[in-house]
Amino acid sequence: MTNSACKGITPDDPRFAELDAFIQDGRASAEFLIAVLHKAQQIFGFLPEEVQRHVAAALQVPPSEVYGVVTFYNYFTLTPVGKYPINVCMGTACYVRGAGRILSLIEEELGIKPGEVTPDGMFSLEVCRCLGACSLAPVVTVKEEVYSQMDEAGTRKLLADLRRRAEAATAVGATGGE
């Protein structure tokens, strides 16, 4: 079973209708490829082959062009990410200020390595070479939020906070409040 099958992406997935509405709102040409891919990733969480083929057909561009853009830009991902994607900067400034220890701690606490997602789908872990926040090193991001000058205590606190958020979101979803 492919990752996308695990995520429930089939040709009749209702998320394709949302993507099509975005495209049909004046973005049905190749010049909007990156904008459409951004929206697709926002909707699906990642860009599996099924989504890339759909975008290619909708914009009338070759699937190879879509794949080329998706694999060229670091923003795009071909694999599922957790609800709370964690990214550890391993650029020079972050690395010399302890990012390696931070990464090891996160790996140990979550039981995953970079490129993996926790079994419950709540957390994923990635590393990057530089976030451009060297004066704040070491830096960790979760979604779009930046956490600066991380140390082991701060990392443990961040992970505990993220677990609380994840548990609260799960509880709300279980009661139908989401």
Side-chain angles (χ1 to χ4, degrees), residues 20-104:
D20 288 340
F22 178 80
I23 293 168
Q24 292 164 3
D25 191 24
R27 296 174 195 88
S29 68
E31 69 184 278
F32 293 103
L33 177 57
I34 291 177
V36 170
L37 289 171
H38 276 281
K39 184 65 171 182
Q41 185 161 290
Q42 178 188 3
I43 293 169
F44 290 92
F46 68 115
L47 298 172
E49 184 178 341
E50 296 88 342
V51 173
Q52 291 178 54
R53 288 189 179 284
H54 187 88
V55 168
L59 300 183
Q60 299 180 354
V61 298
S64 60
E65 183 176 339
V66 174
Y67 180 78
V69 170
V70 168
T71 57
F72 180 78
Y73 291 104
N74 287 336
Y75 173 81
F76 298 121
T77 181
L78 297 168
T79 57
V81 295
K83 182 171 181 170
Y84 299 97
I86 300 170
N87 198 336
V88 178
C89 181
M90 295 295 281
T92 303
C94 288
Y95 186 78
V96 299
R97 292 183 181 153
R101 289 190 313 274
I102 302 305
L103 178 61
S104 294

Side-chain angles (χ1 to χ4, degrees), residues 96-115:
V96 299
R97 292 183 181 153
R101 289 190 313 274
I102 302 305
L103 178 61
S104 294
L105 176 61
I106 294 170
E107 289 174 340
E108 182 182 315
E109 290 282 325
L110 297 180
I112 58 174
K113 298 282 185 195

